Amino acid sequence: MLDIRERLIAKLAVLAGMRPGDIFALKWARLGLDYADIRQRVYRGDVDSPKSVRSVRFAVLPNGLLASIDEWRAVSLDSSGDAWVFPSEKLTTPLAKDNCWRRGFLPKLEPVGLAWANFQVMRRTHSSLLKELDVDPHVRAEQMGHTVNVNE
């Protein structure tokens, strides 16, 4: 079973369709009552603007995910508005995606034969689940920061 931090990161990818760069760039002030306000990303270690104009968005967070966020907030060292939701050990920079994957995910995924999975697989799972639930293509695209034709 994944640890609390990795469970929340996986849920943000699978249940909210967020890109890894969006997840690791989150600050507590950007988490609303039922959404994540995506205004920045981490790309190759730098914090910058999201991938595209459509990538700046409000990603809806389902109830089960909100409970996981509250659980993580309760054990976080700093949950002030300007703090990273997933800080590095220094607390002043965001956690590095590759380090998180190598240290937090792979040791749990390899023994169960899921070492092939990655963040893109989780995000694609979100898209597939929304399509299977017959969610409107425009809503799917908006949630994931895409244009409509990407999700059709």
Side-chain angles (χ1 to χ4, degrees), residues 63-128:
N63 289 337
L65 181 50
L66 295 172
S68 295
I69 290 169
D70 289 342
E71 182 182 8
W72 176 242
R73 187 188 311 259
V75 298
S76 292
L77 295 176
D78 183 358
S79 61
S80 62
D82 202 40
W84 301 105
V85 175
F86 303 106
S88 67
E89 291 176 2
K90 296 182 207 176
L91 301 180
T92 58
T93 57
L95 182 63
K97 172 188 80 162
D98 293 337
N99 285 344
C100 179
W101 190 262
R102 212 173 21 260
R103 295 176 185 170
F105 282 88
L106 272 182
K108 305 291 176 109
L109 296 176
E110 284 176 337
V112 294
L114 292 174
W116 54 268
N118 59 27
F119 285 115
Q120 288 70 29
V121 168
M122 287 190 260
R123 190 166 141 81
R124 182 65 188 154
T125 298
H126 173 78
S127 178
S128 297

Side-chain angles (χ1 to χ4, degrees), residues 9 22 36 47 49 54 70 77 97 111 120 123 140 148:
I9 291 167
D22 302 337
V47 177
S49 58
R54 290 196 178 269
D70 289 342
L77 295 176
K97 172 188 80 162
Q120 288 70 29
R123 190 166 141 81
R140 291 195 322 255
V148 175

Side-chain angles (χ1 to χ4, degrees):
M1 181 201 272
L2 294 172
D3 292 334
I4 183 174
R5 179 183 72 184
E6 286 73 20
R7 273 197 319 269
L8 178 54
I9 291 167
K11 285 180 178 183
L12 287 166
V14 174
L15 300 178
M18 293 174 63
R19 293 179 178 94
D22 302 337
I23 294 168
F24 292 105
L26 276 176
K27 290 196 172 188
W28 287 109
R30 295 285 181 195
L31 290 175
L33 293 176
D34 60 357
Y35 64 89
D37 182 1
I38 300 170
R39 301 274 169 225
Q40 61 186 16
R41 70 172 179 168
V42 178
Y43 182 69
R44 296 185 179 180
D46 294 324
V47 177
D48 67 5
S49 58
K51 184 176 178 180
S52 68
V53 173
R54 290 196 178 269
S55 295
V56 174
R57 66 196 186 283
F58 294 104
V60 176
L61 304 174
N63 289 337
L65 181 50
L66 295 172
S68 295
I69 290 169
D70 289 342
E71 182 182 8
W72 176 242
R73 187 188 311 259
V75 298
S76 292
L77 295 176
D78 183 358
S79 61
S80 62
D82 202 40
W84 301 105
V85 175
F86 303 106
S88 67
E89 291 176 2
K90 296 182 207 176
L91 301 180
T92 58
T93 57
L95 182 63
K97 172 188 80 162
D98 293 337
N99 285 344
C100 179
W101 190 262
R102 212 173 21 260
R103 295 176 185 170
F105 282 88
L106 272 182
K108 305 291 176 109
L109 296 176
E110 284 176 337
V112 294
L114 292 174
W116 54 268
N118 59 27
F119 285 115
Q120 288 70 29
V121 168
M122 287 190 260
R123 190 166 141 81
R124 182 65 188 154
T125 298
H126 173 78
S127 178
S128 297
L129 289 171
L130 292 183
K131 189 172 184 177
E132 187 175 308
L133 291 170
D134 203 28
V135 173
D136 180 86
H138 289 88
V139 173
R140 291 195 322 255
E142 189 173 310
Q143 176 73 10
M144 297 185 72
H146 287 166
T147 56
V148 175
N149 62 353
V150 173
N151 283 307
E152 292 183 325

